[in-house]
Every structure is written in structure tokens, then in C-alpha cells.
Amino acid sequence: VSDRPHVVIIGGGFAGLYLAKRLKRAAVRVTLIDRRNHHLFQPMLYQVATAALNPSDIASPIRSILRRHEHLDVILGEAVRVDTNARTVHLADGDTVSYDFLAVAPGARHSYFGHPEWESAAPGLKSLEDAVEIRRRVLLAFERAEREPSASARHELLTFVVVGGGPTGVEVAGALAEIRRFALARDFRHIDPREAEVMLLEAGPRILPSYPECLSARAKAELRELGVIVRESSAVTTVHSDAVEVEGGLRIPTTTVVWAAGNQASPLLTTLGAELTRQGRVVVEPDCSIAGHPEVLVLGDAAWHEHGGAPPVPATCPGGIQMGQHAAKAILATIAGKPRTPFRYFNKGQLAVIGRGRAVADLGKLRFSGFFAWLAWALIHIAYLIGFRNRVLVMIQYAWAYVTFAHGARLITGETGEYAARIARGA
Amino acid sequence: VSDRPHVVIIGGGFAGLYLAKRLKRAAVRVTLIDRRNHHLFQPMLYQVATAALNPSDIASPIRSILRRHEHLDVILGEAVRVDTNARTVHLADGDTVSYDFLAVAPGARHSYFGHPEWESAAPGLKSLEDAVEIRRRVLLAFERAEREPSASARHELLTFVVVGGGPTGVEVAGALAEIRRFALARDFRHIDPREAEVMLLEAGPRILPSYPECLSARAKAELRELGVIVRESSAVTTVHSDAVEVEGGLRIPTTTVVWAAGNQASPLLTTLGAELTRQGRVVVEPDCSIAGHPEVLVLGDAAWHEHGGAPPVPATCPGGIQMGQHAAKAILATIAGKPRTPFRYFNKGQLAVIGRGRAVADLGKLRFSGFFAWLAWALIHIAYLIGFRNRVLVMIQYAWAYVTFAHGARLITGETGEYAARIARGA
């Protein structure tokens, strides 16, 4: 086995996982490196942030998922540098891993457009830790408001601002509007959570810019029905710890901001020596490799793939999954001495969920919204939760939440003291 | 309503919660103060620490549990001082709350017998954060061992030491022995998790000292069957970050220590001006009040109640529940101008779980062990999870884990880097 070609995969997201799965019966050794021990089902991450699901409902240890994959090693570690000449990956703890083929799929982080200092006041939503932190802030804001005698301070606490009108921003805004109206409505004595305001700020002229205009308008209407204030053409100019300032002079006092406005690819990519886009994504060849190094493939959100007259491959789960599957084919073709085929993205369409029974679906010629779009979303996403032992639990929790409006995952963990004190001080 | 007597409860544990529930239809106003937003079902906390259950399975927001209690306020805040003369409770954020009746039930923390510096190397198990931290360390130790070339360093990583042979220590040791043998057995390539060693150290002459001797011996035999090394008369003399030293010269290299050896009552109790035991518990009157202040009752783990020739009330859930129920009766008697009755603890017996299908039961004259003791434990504990919306989920998860040996809650969250690096350095 040890003389088989060694395929190293950086990142256990959708691209890395589907690549590893496709190599299960191939005559290669595989090593998968990830900073986390779990694969995360990111499309449902906003549900953890809004206390509808628990972290473990949408995450599963990578070792468990790939347990039956005999010639595969999983390394819990952080890749910090790739040496494409020596064909080695350097880890944060000093170890190095040699490869014959390398797949780089480290995903992306949120970007603050040159203002990293905004992050503490406006956390993004990429990891389980991010989601639990946002949940903590949202729930603590209600707790503080319950005890706040000053009406203006109460108003500040009960204003939630979501920055960025892409699918994540729309999902978070819709979910916040719902927990305020349903799940939390009966929990407090001195405040009415239904009076909380949820604002969605989008810099461009319309939310869901990747969707057809009619669906953007539909999504906006659905959000308004839920009571979300949607403001387009409203780029954020400053984020303070107690307010957000918007182009044109609007200033919104708030202690809870969720950032869903921009992505920045992993800094690891700068060590590949390949051409990068402004967001730090690697401009890849038609077969997803980097120029001059067919043995190095870049996949998922880290790759910028624009070839054959097609639009660029979107930084979504289907994009990552298809790239991972393609990478397996490309590697096996090279081992077999055959030429590689170029990667072609097959666009199955896109779905964005807005709330309970509310979504928009863009399936090419078929465009629809409302309950059936939501049903399609729920079924597709649950079907994707393959290899997750808790698929059944998620469905039960879903059904339960749908019937009772209860949000059971409303735990505030971590130290409540410091952040609560910071809100109390108005700092 | 505002001229009703005001009952303030510090602590949303078993005592505080059952007191609040009993006051639901009484002509009083109730305010419950807790540092956390959730009530925690502590008897199952070790299952979170050993990756069998998720945090939300055993915790529920206090607001949700008491939602239907009309004249009750919940305050998320930390009581730091009681002024028994002014009848006010001072909170950490500077607020004060006045009371007519006060129930003090803040629970306990673990105690390191004058060595607080041991805490970082040997965390205890009282809160959800504690449990998640222990889970993180246990899972990271296996991950590091998988990549460790040195056999001695691997051995150090795969040695788990539990200090304290009470029910918690026995439960943790048994559960660690099981995940090593069953849940993790197939996950790794380079190590065999079954080779991990679990040691249980007890300072006294036998584990489960509050149980009859025959059950202590039975528990020890069951632990041995699971492969746990049980050492009695082995008081810990020093905890280093890479080893534990035991009376008599034994030195155990290990990076993972769980502390289950001692309790210390809340520092809040020192502000009551009442007599304290060495563990910091308040010596209470027969009716659970403090001397000279019948309006102040101390309940649960915070109280030392030894009256009427009976043994002291144990610091367990039934003790807390019964004291909470008694406190409601005492307060209502005083309001009605009637005398209070002394509190009498009704000992229903005790149960300690050791592993899947293994437990010991001491129900007075009835003493038994093995599968039926375990079944009794499981049924009683699930029945107690009242008011928890996820009782059904817990049962499903239990049944699932029992059938598949899978431990689904194996997520490492929080920053993996720093602790992992510390283990790597052997520091």
C-alpha cells in the first residue's frame, strides 16, 4: 500500500469529503488534513445561530464519515504552507506531509473589506463557534433588555442588524424575525420580543443578487411579511460596538450585528504561487489544477473556475461537491496515463429559505416561491445530510419545531459575564 | 400583585426550580436569579463529557421551564452578596433586588483542597462548559496520539486519570472505558483506542463510600470488567500538566485528568453571616432557615442539614428537590401565620451507573447491581427529565447509542490549536 500514489486533501468540507469518498476503491493512499475534527453542513449553520438546531445536528466527525475508507488517514492539523516544488504541505505544529497529488480545499472566511476591527462587533457565520457566538449574543440581548429600565437602551438591545443580502443574510434575518415572533414571544415578562426589530442591509440594488429579479422581489416581500426591514443600496460605512453606520447618514443603534457580506479565501492559498482573484481565490485551469502543476488541484470556495464561456462556478455546496468528484476523476485519469477532461459545472439551480414555509427556488426555467419552494429546500437539504448519523434526529427536531414553534436549542454557553457586562456598560 | 410578598430565589438548580414550581399558584411574587440561562440536569453531565449526549439534551432554558408561571421573573445575573439586614441581594452588575423571603440555592463548585493551580490541568465537572472542555481534551488526546511517533508520548496521551471515586468519578471512568472500547475503536488508523488506559484514583479505602460495602466491591468488579484500573487509598499529592503524583510515590504520566474529588460551596454563602462547615456549606436550622433569619432559607448543596438524629441530608438531586418543596411549604406557612414544620429528608435510595447495562442500586433493604440496576437508573433519570422538551430525543439517542455503540456527540469545538499545541510540546 505504501508505494501507492499519495493523495493529500486539505479541508474536510464538501469538496474534500466528496473527493475522499470517490477515491475509496482506488489504488491510492489518501491523507485528509483539517483544522477541525468535524465536517460541517454549512447550509444549515444559520439554524444554529438562531437557536433552532444544535451544533451536533449539522456536524459529524470526519473520522466517522470516512471510517470505512481503508487507505485513508485523517490528520487534525492546520496546513499553513504548500511547497509546490518539494511537494510537501507544512503544518502549524512543524510537521510536513509529502504528496504525489494535492487537493487544496480550505474554504473561505468572511471578509470585512479592510476593516478587520469590525469583526468583534459583527461576527460572521462560517464555523460552529461563530454560530454559537451569534446565538449567545442574540439570546443575551433579550435577557439584558428584560432588565433594562431605559427605553432607548432597550431599543438598542432589541435591534438586530444583518449585513449582506445574499442567501446567508436572508436566512439569518428571516430566522431572527421568526424566533422573535414565535419561539421567544412567551418567555419574557417585561419586554415583548415581538417588538424587536430585524434589519437586513444590502449594499447592492437588490437582495439575492445571484437570483432572477422576480425572486429577489418575492424574497423581499416574504421578509417584509415576517416584519424584517429590508434596505437595499445601503452599504455599511462603519461598525461600532453600539451602532452601525450606513452610506447616506443612517445610524442604527444596536448591540447585535451579524456579518454576511463578504468572503475572503484562506491565506494558505497565497503560498501556492498561483494567480489569485481580489477575494484571494486561486484562478484554476479548466481541470481545476494550477498552472504548471497538474498534480495540485484547488477546489470549492478556494477556486475561481471560469472557462468554456460558462459563468464562474459559484462558491456553493454543489460547486464544491462537483469539483471534488471531478478531482477524483482527474487524479485517476493521470495515474492511468489518460488525459483529463475539463471540469464542467452542472447548475441544478438555487434555493434560498426565508422562514417556516417560505423560500424561493430558481431551478432554471422553473421559478417559484412559498411553501413548495420551502418543502423542496427542506427535502433536498435533509437528503444531503448523508453519512450523518443524526439525520433522523434532525427530521424529528424539524417536525417538532414546526408544530410547536419551540426553539429548543436556546442555551447560552460560554462566559455570559463579560459580554453581558459590556452590553450593560453600553460599550 | 405588586403588594404580594416577594420571594427571591438564587439558583435555578433542582432546589430553586422545585421551589419555584411549588409557588406557582401561591399569592406571592417570585424572582429567580441565575448566572446561566439554563437549568442543567447534572446527573447526566458525565455523558456530555464523554461524548454520548449533546449539551442541549440535558439542559433547558429556565424561562421555558417556568413559562406558565405568571407571577415569576427570571433574571440572568450573578448574586454576589446578600444583605440580610436590608433584605437585599446585590448582583455583579451593581443592581440590587429586595426580598421578603430569600431562598439561597447556588450549588457548589469543585474543590482542589487548597491547590487551585491544579484546575487548569484537572478540570472538574459541574457545568456544561466543564463537560465540553473535558470532551475536547479527551478527543484531542486521541487525535494527537494518532500522529505521535514516540511510544512513550503516545502512552502519556492515551492515559486518562479520574480523581475521586464517588458516583461522578465512577461514571466518568466507566464511560471513558466504554468510548475507548466501542465508540472510537474503528475511527483511527495508527493507534488502537482500546489500548488507552483509564485509571480511577480514590483517596479513601473504597470507591462509592456512601454505598454499602458490598456495592462498592461490586462497582469495582464491574469497572475492572470494563478495563478500568481502580486504585483505592491513593490520595493525589500533585497534579502537573503532564503527570499526576500519588501518595506512596506512584507517578502517572498523563495529559488528561478529570477532577471529581471534592466540592466547595459558593462564596456567596459567606455573606450570609451564618455558621459554615469546612466545605463552606451553611449550617441550617431544622426548617432550612438560618439562625435569626427565618425569612432566609438555604437549600440544596449549599445547606448542611443535620437534625433529629438523622444523617445529614446528602448533596444530591433528591436532597435539593425535597428541600425546594419543603421551602415552599415553610414560606407559605409563615405567610398564613402558621408554624413551620421541620424538614425531614426521605431517602429513596441511591443509584450509580458504571456503564452500558452496568450499575449499582442501594434502595434501603434492596441492594442489587448489573442490568436491572442500570434499567432502574435509566428509567428514573429519564422520568426526572420533566419539563425538558427533548425528553423524547434523549430516549431516542439513548436507544440509538445502545444499539450501535456510536457516540454521536464527538465534536471538538473551541480553539483546538492552543491546547493541541500544549500537548504537542508536552507542556
Side-chain angles (χ1 to χ4, degrees):
Chain A
V1 170
S2 62
D3 57 352
R4 290 177 169 190
H6 188 203
V7 180
V8 173
I9 304 170
I10 299 174
F14 283 100
L17 206 58
Y18 275 80
L19 167 53
K21 285 188 170 199
R22 281 287 166 103
L23 293 177
K24 188 176 169 187
R25 265 175 287 270
V28 293
R29 283 188 303 132
V30 181
T31 300
L32 195 155
I33 303 167
D34 200 295
R35 292 190 302 140
R36 308 281 177 184
N37 83 327
H38 50 269
H39 169 73
L40 178 65
F41 191 70
Q42 259 185 357
M44 278 179 168
L45 194 55
Y46 80 97
Q47 301 229 11
V48 174
T50 54
L53 289 178
N54 291 304
S56 61
D57 296 330
I58 60 158
S60 201
I62 295 170
R63 287 192 190 285
S64 304
I65 301 174
L66 299 174
R67 180 182 277 169
R68 291 199 174 73
H69 199 309
E70 263 180 67
H71 307 299
L72 179 134
D73 260 0
V74 177
I75 292 181
L76 180 73
E78 184 171 3
V80 289
R81 190 163 67 82
V82 174
D83 185 333
T84 50
N85 294 320
R87 298 196 178 178
T88 50
V89 177
H90 294 256
L91 304 185
D93 61 7
D95 276 9
T96 58
V97 181
S98 301
Y99 62 81
D100 298 306
F101 294 93
L102 176 68
V104 184
R109 288 289 299 168
H110 23 270
S111 151
Y112 291 88
F113 308 121
H115 291 281
E117 71 276 13
W118 295 355
E119 182 161 16
S120 65
L125 187 58
K126 288 281 181 196
S127 69
L128 278 184
E129 286 80 4
D130 293 341
V132 170
E133 173 62 21
I134 290 170
R135 177 177 77 177
R136 198 173 68 84
R137 292 187 181 203
V138 168
L139 296 175
L140 270 178
F142 283 104
E143 293 284 346
R144 295 294 310 176
E146 170 83 350
R147 295 180 55 203
E148 178 57 61
S150 142
S152 71
R154 220 159 45 225
H155 209 79
E156 185 180 312
L157 286 164
L158 292 180
T159 300
F160 300 94
V161 175
V162 180
V163 183
T168 302
V170 167
E171 284 159 7
V172 170
L176 286 175
E178 286 197 325
I179 61 164
R180 155 199 81 151
R181 252 169 85 169
F182 304 114
L184 294 174
R186 292 169 298 165
D187 272 8
F188 294 89
R189 296 285 172 271
H190 304 288
I191 57 166
D192 183 347
R194 283 169 290 194
E195 288 174 12
E197 273 184 15
V198 180
M199 289 189 77
L200 177 63
L201 304 178
E202 163 61 34
R206 61 186 175 94
I207 60 169
L208 297 180
S210 70
Y211 284 68
E213 272 191 49
C214 62
L215 289 182
S216 292
R218 190 67 222 135
K220 186 174 173 178
E222 297 264 13
L223 282 169
R224 283 196 164 151
E225 272 178 43
L226 284 173
V228 176
I229 302 164
V230 180
R231 275 188 68 119
E232 288 137 344
S233 306
S234 296
V236 166
T237 53
T238 321
V239 179
H240 303 284
S241 62
D242 62 349
V244 169
E245 287 178 22
V246 180
E247 214 178 15
L250 177 67
R251 187 178 187 280
I252 311 159
T254 174
T255 52
T256 313
V257 184
V258 178
W259 190 263
N263 284 334
Q264 182 67 34
S266 164
L268 170 70
L269 302 174
T270 59
T271 69
L272 291 173
E275 187 191 343
L276 301 180
T277 67
R278 209 167 55 92
Q279 290 187 327
R281 295 168 76 177
V282 173
V283 179
V284 295
E285 302 291 298
D287 65 349
C288 295
S289 68
I290 61 174
H293 287 283
E295 76 282 6
V296 178
L297 299 125
V298 181
L299 312 173
D301 293 6
W304 180 264
H305 186 284
E306 191 175 11
H307 292 285
V313 179
T316 59
C317 294
I321 290 172
Q322 292 181 32
M323 278 184 168
Q325 292 170 335
H326 166 83
K329 269 195 290 185
I331 289 168
L332 296 180
T334 301
I335 291 174
K338 293 178 190 162
R340 294 179 179 179
T341 52
F343 171 61
R344 275 188 218 291
Y345 175 66
F346 175 62
N347 185 2
K348 294 176 184 168
Q350 45 185 353
L351 281 157
V353 70
I354 295 150
R356 278 166 33 100
R358 297 164 194 269
V360 291
D362 168 27
L363 310 179
K365 278 170 197 157
L366 203 60
R367 293 165 183 179
F368 55 110
S369 63
F371 183 78
F372 286 101
W374 178 84
L375 199 64
W377 175 87
L379 293 177
I380 289 171
H381 282 71
I382 286 168
Y384 261 112
L385 284 167
I386 37 164
F388 279 32
R389 55 110 225 168
N390 34 22
R391 190 170 17 161
V392 181
L393 287 185
V394 171
M395 278 191 285
I396 292 171
Q397 208 141 346
Y398 246 86
W400 181 260
Y402 197 84
V403 172
T404 63
F405 281 107
H407 282 240
R410 286 205 301 274
L411 302 180
I412 305 178
T413 53
E415 276 311 313
T416 53
E418 197 188 325
Y419 182 71
R422 194 172 73 78
I423 310 184
R425 287 197 309 273
Chain B
V1 169
S2 61
D3 58 354
R4 290 178 171 191
H6 187 203
V7 180
V8 172
I9 304 170
I10 299 174
F14 283 99
L17 206 59
Y18 275 80
L19 166 55
K21 285 188 168 195
R22 280 287 165 102
L23 293 176
K24 188 175 169 187
R25 265 174 289 270
V28 293
R29 284 188 303 132
V30 181
T31 300
L32 193 155
I33 303 167
D34 200 295
R35 290 190 303 141
R36 309 280 176 183
N37 83 327
H38 50 270
H39 170 73
L40 178 64
F41 191 68
Q42 260 185 356
M44 278 179 167
L45 193 55
Y46 80 96
Q47 302 229 9
V48 174
T50 55
L53 290 178
N54 292 304
S56 61
D57 296 329
I58 59 158
S60 199
I62 296 170
R63 287 192 190 286
S64 306
I65 300 173
L66 299 174
R67 180 183 277 167
R68 291 199 174 75
H69 198 311
E70 263 181 66
H71 307 300
L72 179 134
D73 260 0
V74 176
I75 292 181
L76 180 72
E78 184 171 4
V80 288
R81 191 163 67 82
V82 174
D83 185 333
T84 49
N85 293 321
R87 297 196 176 179
T88 50
V89 176
H90 294 257
L91 304 184
D93 61 7
D95 277 9
T96 58
V97 181
S98 301
Y99 62 82
D100 298 306
F101 294 93
L102 176 67
V104 184
R109 288 290 297 170
H110 23 272
S111 150
Y112 291 87
F113 308 121
H115 292 281
E117 72 276 14
W118 295 354
E119 182 161 16
S120 66
L125 187 58
K126 288 281 180 195
S127 68
L128 278 184
E129 287 80 3
D130 293 340
V132 171
E133 172 63 20
I134 290 171
R135 177 177 76 178
R136 198 172 69 83
R137 292 186 181 204
V138 169
L139 297 176
L140 271 178
F142 283 104
E143 293 286 346
R144 296 295 307 177
E146 170 82 350
R147 294 181 56 205
E148 178 58 59
S150 144
S152 70
R154 220 159 45 224
H155 209 78
E156 184 180 312
L157 286 164
L158 292 180
T159 301
F160 301 93
V161 175
V162 180
V163 183
T168 302
V170 167
E171 285 159 6
V172 171
L176 286 174
E178 287 197 324
I179 61 163
R180 156 198 79 150
R181 253 170 84 170
F182 304 115
L184 294 174
R186 291 170 298 166
D187 272 9
F188 295 89
R189 295 285 171 271
H190 305 289
I191 56 165
D192 182 347
R194 284 169 290 192
E195 287 174 13
E197 273 183 18
V198 181
M199 288 189 77
L200 177 63
L201 304 177
E202 163 60 34
R206 61 186 176 95
I207 60 169
L208 298 180
S210 69
Y211 284 67
E213 272 192 46
C214 63
L215 289 181
S216 292
R218 191 66 223 138
K220 188 175 172 178
E222 297 263 15
L223 282 169
R224 284 196 164 153
E225 271 179 44
L226 285 173
V228 176
I229 301 164
V230 179
R231 274 186 67 119
E232 288 137 344
S233 305
S234 296
V236 166
T237 53
T238 321
V239 179
H240 303 285
S241 62
D242 62 349
V244 169
E245 287 178 21
V246 180
E247 213 178 16
L250 177 68
R251 187 177 187 280
I252 310 160
T254 174
T255 51
T256 315
V257 184
V258 179
W259 190 262
N263 285 332
Q264 182 66 35
S266 164
L268 170 71
L269 302 175
T270 59
T271 69
L272 291 173
E275 189 193 341
L276 301 180
T277 67
R278 209 167 54 92
Q279 290 188 328
R281 295 167 77 177
V282 173
V283 179
V284 296
E285 303 289 300
D287 65 346
C288 295
S289 69
I290 61 174
H293 286 283
E295 77 281 6
V296 178
L297 299 126
V298 181
L299 311 173
D301 293 6
W304 180 264
H305 185 285
E306 192 176 12
H307 291 286
V313 179
T316 60
C317 296
I321 291 172
Q322 292 181 33
M323 278 184 168
Q325 293 170 335
H326 166 82
K329 270 194 291 185
I331 289 168
L332 296 179
T334 301
I335 291 173
K338 292 178 190 161
R340 293 178 180 180
T341 53
F343 169 61
R344 273 188 219 290
Y345 174 65
F346 176 62
N347 185 2
K348 294 177 184 168
Q350 46 186 353
L351 280 158
V353 71
I354 295 152
R356 278 167 33 102
R358 296 166 195 268
V360 291
D362 167 28
L363 310 178
K365 279 170 198 156
L366 203 60
R367 293 164 183 179
F368 55 111
S369 62
F371 182 77
F372 285 101
W374 178 84
L375 199 66
W377 176 88
L379 293 176
I380 289 171
H381 281 71
I382 286 168
Y384 260 112
L385 286 167
I386 37 165
F388 279 33
R389 56 109 225 169
N390 35 21
R391 190 168 19 158
V392 181
L393 287 185
V394 171
M395 279 191 287
I396 293 170
Q397 207 140 345
Y398 246 86
W400 182 259
Y402 198 84
V403 173
T404 62
F405 281 105
H407 281 239
R410 288 205 300 273
L411 304 179
I412 304 178
T413 53
E415 275 312 312
T416 54
E418 198 188 323
Y419 182 71
R422 195 171 72 78
I423 310 185
R425 285 196 311 272

